[in-house]
Amino acid sequence: QQQVKQSPQSLIVQKGGISIINCAYENTAFDYFPWYQQFPGKGPALLIAIRPDVSEKKEGRFTISFNKSAKQFSLHIMDSQPGDSATYFCAASTGAGANSKLTFGKGITLSVRP
Amino acid sequence: EPEVTQTPSHQVTQMGQEVILRCVPISNHLYFYWYRQILGQKVEFLVSFYNNEISEKSEIFDDQFSVERPDGSNFTLKIRSTKLEDSAMYFCASKGRGSDTQYFGPGTRLTVL
């Protein structure tokens, strides 16, 4: 199966709080897991990505946690800010190279309240 | 910082008309993609392109669709006879050799009336 499933569907967080978005996949051949951020009227922009050889990756306020056995990965946004309000997509693909199409989750709208 | 550009930003067309969506990928990137996003839905893969040929295409990418890299810098998506259900945002993306990261353009909003 090629599906990638995100939860929750929407999220409202207070400024300074932690935003957590979860993603589950089915295809065990997936070996690259990016999170994309999309603002209205813009294209998706890579936020952070992980390969399954590590369980966690942190870049600034953004952390990906990866659980290979559960086939799940999550995005944590620490100290959430109103500027983080956007749509977040998890995605997955099978390796580098020409055929590495991205399979996206449905996306989640994050609203960070001031 | 290099970026993927797309033109036009918005295209309105009548059903049955042909449209060409244009993209300029990041220079020195080798892999090119088209995705679409119907309003409120997820981003869906259409086609990937490498070495002047299609690498993979989805079920959506039927005979009405074609892609071309006519001059070494532009990458185009043509829809021969548009349908109402083709209305969507179309995103171009490109990727460099040995990289996992696909860089997306700002998209073209296609409205079919």
Side-chain angles (χ1 to χ4, degrees), chain B residues 18-34:
Chain B
E18 175 184 287
V19 294
I20 298 176
L21 310 183
R22 291 182 167 79
C23 168
V24 179
I26 294 172
S27 65
N28 81 352
H29 279 191
L30 301 177
Y31 306 108
F32 312 110
Y33 308 85
W34 283 101

mmCIF file of all heavy atoms in Angstrom, chain B residues 18-34:
data_model
loop_
_atom_site.group_PDB
_atom_site.id
_atom_site.type_symbol
_atom_site.label_atom_id
_atom_site.label_comp_id
_atom_site.label_asym_id
_atom_site.label_seq_id
_atom_site.Cartn_x
_atom_site.Cartn_y
_atom_site.Cartn_z
ATOM 1 N N GLU B 18 -6.847 23.467 -24.669
ATOM 2 C CA GLU B 18 -5.498 23.010 -24.296
ATOM 3 C C GLU B 18 -4.823 24.057 -23.427
ATOM 4 O O GLU B 18 -4.984 25.264 -23.663
ATOM 5 C CB GLU B 18 -4.678 22.792 -25.559
ATOM 6 C CG GLU B 18 -3.218 22.440 -25.298
ATOM 7 C CD GLU B 18 -2.437 22.320 -26.593
ATOM 8 O OE1 GLU B 18 -2.640 21.322 -27.314
ATOM 9 O OE2 GLU B 18 -1.589 23.207 -26.879
ATOM 10 N N VAL B 19 -4.110 23.605 -22.416
ATOM 11 C CA VAL B 19 -3.321 24.530 -21.604
ATOM 12 C C VAL B 19 -1.899 23.994 -21.478
ATOM 13 O O VAL B 19 -1.666 22.783 -21.501
ATOM 14 C CB VAL B 19 -3.920 24.743 -20.193
ATOM 15 C CG1 VAL B 19 -5.251 25.446 -20.268
ATOM 16 C CG2 VAL B 19 -4.018 23.427 -19.439
ATOM 17 N N ILE B 20 -0.975 24.907 -21.352
ATOM 18 C CA ILE B 20 0.416 24.554 -21.104
ATOM 19 C C ILE B 20 0.877 25.287 -19.852
ATOM 20 O O ILE B 20 0.809 26.515 -19.790
ATOM 21 C CB ILE B 20 1.327 24.915 -22.284
ATOM 22 C CG1 ILE B 20 0.907 24.125 -23.528
ATOM 23 C CG2 ILE B 20 2.790 24.628 -21.934
ATOM 24 C CD1 ILE B 20 1.697 24.490 -24.772
ATOM 25 N N LEU B 21 1.300 24.525 -18.878
ATOM 26 C CA LEU B 21 1.823 25.099 -17.650
ATOM 27 C C LEU B 21 3.340 25.017 -17.703
ATOM 28 O O LEU B 21 3.899 23.979 -18.067
ATOM 29 C CB LEU B 21 1.291 24.335 -16.430
ATOM 30 C CG LEU B 21 -0.230 24.110 -16.389
ATOM 31 C CD1 LEU B 21 -0.620 23.414 -15.094
ATOM 32 C CD2 LEU B 21 -0.980 25.404 -16.573
ATOM 33 N N ARG B 22 3.980 26.108 -17.329
ATOM 34 C CA ARG B 22 5.436 26.182 -17.480
ATOM 35 C C ARG B 22 6.157 26.246 -16.141
ATOM 36 O O ARG B 22 5.678 26.839 -15.181
ATOM 37 C CB ARG B 22 5.801 27.398 -18.336
ATOM 38 C CG ARG B 22 5.376 27.236 -19.785
ATOM 39 C CD ARG B 22 5.767 28.402 -20.655
ATOM 40 N NE ARG B 22 5.613 28.092 -22.064
ATOM 41 C CZ ARG B 22 4.467 28.094 -22.724
ATOM 42 N NH1 ARG B 22 3.354 28.413 -22.099
ATOM 43 N NH2 ARG B 22 4.431 27.782 -24.006
ATOM 44 N N CYS B 23 7.318 25.664 -16.137
ATOM 45 C CA CYS B 23 8.143 25.590 -14.933
ATOM 46 C C CYS B 23 9.600 25.793 -15.340
ATOM 47 O O CYS B 23 10.025 25.310 -16.390
ATOM 48 C CB CYS B 23 7.946 24.222 -14.285
ATOM 49 S SG CYS B 23 9.125 23.795 -12.978
ATOM 50 N N VAL B 24 10.326 26.522 -14.506
ATOM 51 C CA VAL B 24 11.779 26.583 -14.654
ATOM 52 C C VAL B 24 12.366 25.963 -13.404
ATOM 53 O O VAL B 24 12.336 26.562 -12.325
ATOM 54 C CB VAL B 24 12.289 28.020 -14.841
ATOM 55 C CG1 VAL B 24 13.820 28.030 -14.958
ATOM 56 C CG2 VAL B 24 11.664 28.652 -16.083
ATOM 57 N N PRO B 25 12.871 24.739 -13.503
ATOM 58 C CA PRO B 25 13.457 24.081 -12.329
ATOM 59 C C PRO B 25 14.749 24.766 -11.905
ATOM 60 O O PRO B 25 15.291 25.614 -12.613
ATOM 61 C CB PRO B 25 13.733 22.662 -12.841
ATOM 62 C CG PRO B 25 12.921 22.518 -14.091
ATOM 63 C CD PRO B 25 12.857 23.884 -14.676
ATOM 64 N N ILE B 26 15.264 24.374 -10.768
ATOM 65 C CA ILE B 26 16.552 24.872 -10.303
ATOM 66 C C ILE B 26 17.625 24.349 -11.258
ATOM 67 O O ILE B 26 17.643 23.159 -11.597
ATOM 68 C CB ILE B 26 16.804 24.425 -8.853
ATOM 69 C CG1 ILE B 26 15.780 25.100 -7.927
ATOM 70 C CG2 ILE B 26 18.228 24.744 -8.420
ATOM 71 C CD1 ILE B 26 15.802 24.600 -6.502
ATOM 72 N N SER B 27 18.484 25.262 -11.678
ATOM 73 C CA SER B 27 19.520 24.861 -12.636
ATOM 74 C C SER B 27 20.420 23.814 -12.008
ATOM 75 O O SER B 27 20.647 23.834 -10.794
ATOM 76 C CB SER B 27 20.331 26.065 -13.090
ATOM 77 O OG SER B 27 21.054 26.610 -12.008
ATOM 78 N N ASN B 28 20.889 22.895 -12.754
ATOM 79 C CA ASN B 28 21.724 21.743 -12.427
ATOM 80 C C ASN B 28 20.952 20.621 -11.744
ATOM 81 O O ASN B 28 21.501 19.583 -11.417
ATOM 82 C CB ASN B 28 22.988 22.102 -11.620
ATOM 83 C CG ASN B 28 22.761 22.283 -10.111
ATOM 84 O OD1 ASN B 28 21.634 22.289 -9.630
ATOM 85 N ND2 ASN B 28 23.832 22.436 -9.387
ATOM 86 N N HIS B 29 19.643 20.824 -11.530
ATOM 87 C CA HIS B 29 18.817 19.702 -11.084
ATOM 88 C C HIS B 29 18.524 18.788 -12.275
ATOM 89 O O HIS B 29 18.455 19.230 -13.427
ATOM 90 C CB HIS B 29 17.510 20.200 -10.466
ATOM 91 C CG HIS B 29 17.668 20.630 -9.048
ATOM 92 N ND1 HIS B 29 16.602 20.895 -8.228
ATOM 93 C CD2 HIS B 29 18.772 20.839 -8.291
ATOM 94 C CE1 HIS B 29 17.046 21.234 -7.022
ATOM 95 N NE2 HIS B 29 18.362 21.211 -7.043
ATOM 96 N N LEU B 30 18.364 17.499 -11.953
ATOM 97 C CA LEU B 30 18.227 16.519 -13.017
ATOM 98 C C LEU B 30 16.864 15.839 -13.050
ATOM 99 O O LEU B 30 16.503 15.234 -14.061
ATOM 100 C CB LEU B 30 19.307 15.435 -12.871
ATOM 101 C CG LEU B 30 20.757 15.919 -12.919
ATOM 102 C CD1 LEU B 30 21.693 14.745 -12.677
ATOM 103 C CD2 LEU B 30 21.055 16.577 -14.274
ATOM 104 N N TYR B 31 16.163 15.898 -11.917
ATOM 105 C CA TYR B 31 14.899 15.170 -11.820
ATOM 106 C C TYR B 31 13.773 16.185 -11.681
ATOM 107 O O TYR B 31 13.863 17.130 -10.894
ATOM 108 C CB TYR B 31 14.925 14.236 -10.600
ATOM 109 C CG TYR B 31 16.118 13.311 -10.600
ATOM 110 C CD1 TYR B 31 17.168 13.500 -9.709
ATOM 111 C CD2 TYR B 31 16.200 12.256 -11.500
ATOM 112 C CE1 TYR B 31 18.264 12.667 -9.713
ATOM 113 C CE2 TYR B 31 17.292 11.417 -11.506
ATOM 114 C CZ TYR B 31 18.327 11.618 -10.614
ATOM 115 O OH TYR B 31 19.411 10.788 -10.628
ATOM 116 N N PHE B 32 12.708 15.949 -12.413
ATOM 117 C CA PHE B 32 11.624 16.926 -12.473
ATOM 118 C C PHE B 32 10.289 16.214 -12.267
ATOM 119 O O PHE B 32 10.125 15.061 -12.689
ATOM 120 C CB PHE B 32 11.636 17.648 -13.830
ATOM 121 C CG PHE B 32 12.997 18.135 -14.222
ATOM 122 C CD1 PHE B 32 13.682 17.542 -15.268
ATOM 123 C CD2 PHE B 32 13.618 19.153 -13.518
ATOM 124 C CE1 PHE B 32 14.955 17.975 -15.614
ATOM 125 C CE2 PHE B 32 14.899 19.585 -13.856
ATOM 126 C CZ PHE B 32 15.564 18.992 -14.906
ATOM 127 N N TYR B 33 9.396 16.922 -11.607
ATOM 128 C CA TYR B 33 8.125 16.325 -11.220
ATOM 129 C C TYR B 33 6.985 17.316 -11.419
ATOM 130 O O TYR B 33 7.179 18.525 -11.314
ATOM 131 C CB TYR B 33 8.153 15.940 -9.724
ATOM 132 C CG TYR B 33 9.332 15.095 -9.318
ATOM 133 C CD1 TYR B 33 10.542 15.685 -8.985
ATOM 134 C CD2 TYR B 33 9.230 13.712 -9.253
ATOM 135 C CE1 TYR B 33 11.636 14.918 -8.608
ATOM 136 C CE2 TYR B 33 10.317 12.935 -8.870
ATOM 137 C CZ TYR B 33 11.511 13.547 -8.556
ATOM 138 O OH TYR B 33 12.591 12.776 -8.183
ATOM 139 N N TRP B 34 5.823 16.772 -11.659
ATOM 140 C CA TRP B 34 4.581 17.540 -11.567
ATOM 141 C C TRP B 34 3.674 16.855 -10.552
ATOM 142 O O TRP B 34 3.533 15.620 -10.557
ATOM 143 C CB TRP B 34 3.859 17.621 -12.910
ATOM 144 C CG TRP B 34 4.462 18.602 -13.857
ATOM 145 C CD1 TRP B 34 5.280 18.339 -14.907
ATOM 146 C CD2 TRP B 34 4.283 20.024 -13.854
ATOM 147 N NE1 TRP B 34 5.634 19.493 -15.553
ATOM 148 C CE2 TRP B 34 5.042 20.536 -14.926
ATOM 149 C CE3 TRP B 34 3.561 20.908 -13.054
ATOM 150 C CZ2 TRP B 34 5.094 21.917 -15.214
ATOM 151 C CZ3 TRP B 34 3.619 22.265 -13.332
ATOM 152 C CH2 TRP B 34 4.368 22.749 -14.409
#
